[in-house]
Amino acid sequence: MTIKANSILIASAIALMLLSGCTRLRAHRGYVVDPVLTTSVSPGIDDKRSVEDMLGRPTFVGQFNESEWFYVSRNTKQLAFSRPKPERQTVLRVRFDERGQVVDVAETGVELAVNLSPDGDATPTLGRERGFFEDLFGNIGAVGAGGPGGPGGPVGPGGGP
């Protein structure tokens, strides 16, 4: 092989390795939706036990109302080093009355998904802003300084004036 052929072979091998990092990744998380089963849950007919037998345990139960069960399914896609983006999402909400009978079944999709973007890497707090050196050296001289409870303050050593 000539030097030119070797360099072309090496360049194409490097290009293939770089392009392999650009593959689209797909992932599924959560409940595996079976449309036949999810549409067969009927208000007034089914109860908690029959829903659990049909669909399995819910992904989660309502935080403030335990009579709501949620089955969440989500498919995402992403390029190698990017953030996953929802491709398809299904949230099945089953509501029960106080006797455990199904009252309502509602299904929503990816249109209700919200992309939360935190405000930087720090949690905003109220109060004054302190820099690195102020945090590091800010308490020097504060320990044992005069003032209420310190030396020379209202209460002396040993608890007396």
Side-chain angles (χ1 to χ4, degrees):
M1 272 193 188
T2 66
I3 294 176
K4 187 174 183 180
N6 281 341
S7 62
I8 291 174
L9 184 64
I10 291 172
S12 43
I14 291 173
L16 284 173
M17 285 192 312
L18 290 174
L19 288 175
S20 68
C22 296
T23 59
R24 187 169 299 274
L25 303 172
R26 295 183 185 275
H28 174 81
R29 290 183 177 84
Y31 181 72
V32 178
V33 177
D34 184 351
V36 173
L37 292 177
T38 56
T39 56
S40 63
V41 176
S42 303
I45 297 173
D46 289 310
D47 61 1
K48 285 186 177 183
R49 182 179 174 137
S50 66
V51 170
E52 187 174 351
D53 289 344
M54 212 176 331
L55 302 178
R57 293 289 305 148
T59 307
F60 62 91
V61 177
Q63 182 176 4
F64 301 109
N65 185 357
E66 291 186 11
S67 64
E68 289 185 335
W69 286 5
F70 296 90
Y71 294 87
V72 180
S73 171
R74 187 176 215 189
N75 292 342
T76 58
K77 65 180 178 181
Q78 75 181 79
L79 288 175
F81 299 106
S82 65
R83 291 180 184 248
K85 294 185 176 134
E87 185 176 46
R88 192 172 68 236
Q89 174 175 303
T90 303
V91 177
L92 181 71
R93 183 188 75 190
V94 182
R95 287 187 334 154
F96 301 96
D97 62 10
E98 60 278 349
R99 296 176 300 137
Q101 296 291 320
V102 175
V103 176
D104 182 39
V105 179
E107 187 174 320
T108 60
V110 76
E111 69 276 357
L112 294 180
V114 176
N115 184 16
L116 295 177
S117 178
D119 185 20
D121 292 334
T123 304
T125 59
L126 299 174
R128 66 186 194 105
E129 296 284 329
R130 292 174 37 159
F132 172 75
F133 291 109
E134 200 169 9
D135 279 340
L136 190 61
F137 300 116
N139 287 330
I140 293 178
V143 177
V155 179

